[in-house]
Amino acid sequence: MAVSPRLAGAHGDRTHTHNPLAELLALGRPLIMGILNVTPDSFSDGGRFLDPSGALDHARRMIAEGADILDIGAESTRPYGGAVPVPMEEEIGRLTPVLPQAVALGVPVSIDTMKAKVADWAIAAGAAIINDVWGLQREEAMARVATRWGVPVIVMHNREHADPSLDIIAEIAEFFARSLEIAANAGLPRQQIVLDPGIGFGKTPEQSMIAIARLRELKSFGLPILVGASRKRFIARISPASPDHRLGGSVAAHLAAVANGAAIIRTHDVAETAQALRVAAAIEAVQ
Ligand code: HH2
């Protein structure tokens, strides 16, 4: 269901007046965030939506298929390394012909960026959510940008290198606690935060699976949880397949995540994910 994104102007005097994410979460069903990568090098769809009209067609298709939120990124994070850093001007240059037009489609847009200045630009252009794959811990200014605009932030767990000896749930919980402290110090209300265990980021394939299997333990923060397992490599460890052929594994992982308390699913494959979530919910409802 589309909830009209608010329109804020330049920051300072005019900030977001309501939180469209909170409205969506209040629907009481898992939400779907559709991925729109305007990058040449994303791990599964790099280069496919660099052309702005192709990107917007894809955005429209995802909304028609049931996306509640669009997550737009213009710099690959390549969870398994090899991402090419993109200068801020280039990241904004890729977003300029796509993001404002995507906002006009009527579902909340989240900006997937590690740079506070890009987040600031994107919110001024109409984005309603910040998605930070370094959980406010890479750039100090990120939390301040979110506070100034009054927008929600997705705080994702990340680390430079996987360490198989770690209790990954304890590590993620410690990371979240640090992010929440940063948010509090910046004056960002706790209820504006969504937590994400960061499937595939700084984790062994087994740790990615543990993060989904023990997701409930992260509910102790009392905040909504987002899971993005779409096409990720741990799937191929169990059932070898190229990223384009990991739909079954992605759906299985996302159903497990929702069963364990995830409120938002970040996916490349909106139609199939929406169908799977609806069928799982319908079966649950007739018990
Ligand atoms: N995964 C990716 C990117 N951003 N954001 C959140 N909150 N959670 C995730 O799991 C997540 C994310 C990686 O996937 P993708 O966007 O397809 O690849 P790339 O970063 O190479 O563009």
Side-chain angles (χ1 to χ4, degrees), residues 38 42 101 106 110 118 122 172 197 207:
V38 284
S42 285
Q101 293 82 342
S110 105
V118 174
I172 294 170
Q207 287 172 334

mmCIF file of all heavy atoms in Angstrom, residues 38 42 101 106 110 118 122 172 197 207:
data_model
loop_
_atom_site.group_PDB
_atom_site.id
_atom_site.type_symbol
_atom_site.label_atom_id
_atom_site.label_comp_id
_atom_site.label_asym_id
_atom_site.label_seq_id
_atom_site.Cartn_x
_atom_site.Cartn_y
_atom_site.Cartn_z
ATOM 1 N N VAL A 38 21.391 1.930 -8.862
ATOM 2 C CA VAL A 38 21.836 2.666 -10.049
ATOM 3 C C VAL A 38 23.374 2.715 -10.009
ATOM 4 O O VAL A 38 23.978 3.737 -9.785
ATOM 5 C CB VAL A 38 21.188 4.064 -10.178
ATOM 6 C CG1 VAL A 38 19.759 3.925 -10.653
ATOM 7 C CG2 VAL A 38 21.188 4.851 -8.870
ATOM 8 N N SER A 42 27.001 -3.405 -8.827
ATOM 9 C CA SER A 42 26.361 -4.123 -7.719
ATOM 10 C C SER A 42 26.497 -5.621 -7.949
ATOM 11 O O SER A 42 26.547 -6.079 -9.096
ATOM 12 C CB SER A 42 24.885 -3.746 -7.616
ATOM 13 O OG SER A 42 24.787 -2.459 -7.045
ATOM 14 N N GLN A 101 12.372 11.486 -9.236
ATOM 15 C CA GLN A 101 11.305 10.874 -10.028
ATOM 16 C C GLN A 101 10.743 9.644 -9.321
ATOM 17 O O GLN A 101 9.542 9.368 -9.385
ATOM 18 C CB GLN A 101 11.835 10.477 -11.416
ATOM 19 C CG GLN A 101 12.219 11.661 -12.302
ATOM 20 C CD GLN A 101 13.621 12.224 -12.010
ATOM 21 O OE1 GLN A 101 14.229 11.985 -10.959
ATOM 22 N NE2 GLN A 101 14.144 13.002 -12.947
ATOM 23 N N GLY A 106 5.281 7.761 -5.344
ATOM 24 C CA GLY A 106 4.317 7.718 -4.229
ATOM 25 C C GLY A 106 4.612 6.767 -3.094
ATOM 26 O O GLY A 106 3.851 6.747 -2.135
ATOM 27 N N SER A 110 14.001 5.119 0.328
ATOM 28 C CA SER A 110 15.125 5.164 1.264
ATOM 29 C C SER A 110 16.409 5.324 0.456
ATOM 30 O O SER A 110 16.508 4.831 -0.663
ATOM 31 C CB SER A 110 15.106 3.935 2.175
ATOM 32 O OG SER A 110 16.073 3.013 1.824
ATOM 33 N N VAL A 118 25.540 12.750 0.927
ATOM 34 C CA VAL A 118 24.623 12.170 -0.060
ATOM 35 C C VAL A 118 23.247 11.982 0.579
ATOM 36 O O VAL A 118 22.210 12.270 -0.038
ATOM 37 C CB VAL A 118 25.170 10.830 -0.615
ATOM 38 C CG1 VAL A 118 24.147 10.157 -1.519
ATOM 39 C CG2 VAL A 118 26.484 11.063 -1.362
ATOM 40 N N ALA A 122 19.817 13.592 -0.687
ATOM 41 C CA ALA A 122 18.690 12.725 -1.065
ATOM 42 C C ALA A 122 17.423 13.101 -0.292
ATOM 43 O O ALA A 122 16.320 13.085 -0.853
ATOM 44 C CB ALA A 122 19.050 11.263 -0.806
ATOM 45 N N ILE A 172 26.796 -8.431 16.973
ATOM 46 C CA ILE A 172 25.782 -7.551 16.366
ATOM 47 C C ILE A 172 25.113 -6.698 17.453
ATOM 48 O O ILE A 172 24.910 -5.491 17.286
ATOM 49 C CB ILE A 172 24.723 -8.382 15.584
ATOM 50 C CG1 ILE A 172 25.365 -9.060 14.372
ATOM 51 C CG2 ILE A 172 23.552 -7.516 15.151
ATOM 52 C CD1 ILE A 172 24.462 -10.090 13.665
ATOM 53 N N PRO A 197 20.678 -6.904 10.792
ATOM 54 C CA PRO A 197 21.889 -7.674 11.113
ATOM 55 C C PRO A 197 22.930 -7.690 9.992
ATOM 56 O O PRO A 197 24.055 -8.150 10.209
ATOM 57 C CB PRO A 197 21.356 -9.086 11.383
ATOM 58 C CG PRO A 197 20.065 -9.152 10.631
ATOM 59 C CD PRO A 197 19.488 -7.755 10.672
ATOM 60 N N GLN A 207 27.657 -17.535 9.811
ATOM 61 C CA GLN A 207 27.222 -16.435 10.687
ATOM 62 C C GLN A 207 26.013 -15.704 10.097
ATOM 63 O O GLN A 207 25.145 -15.235 10.837
ATOM 64 C CB GLN A 207 28.382 -15.462 10.930
ATOM 65 C CG GLN A 207 29.438 -16.045 11.870
ATOM 66 C CD GLN A 207 30.672 -15.171 11.966
ATOM 67 O OE1 GLN A 207 31.001 -14.417 11.048
ATOM 68 N NE2 GLN A 207 31.388 -15.282 13.076
#
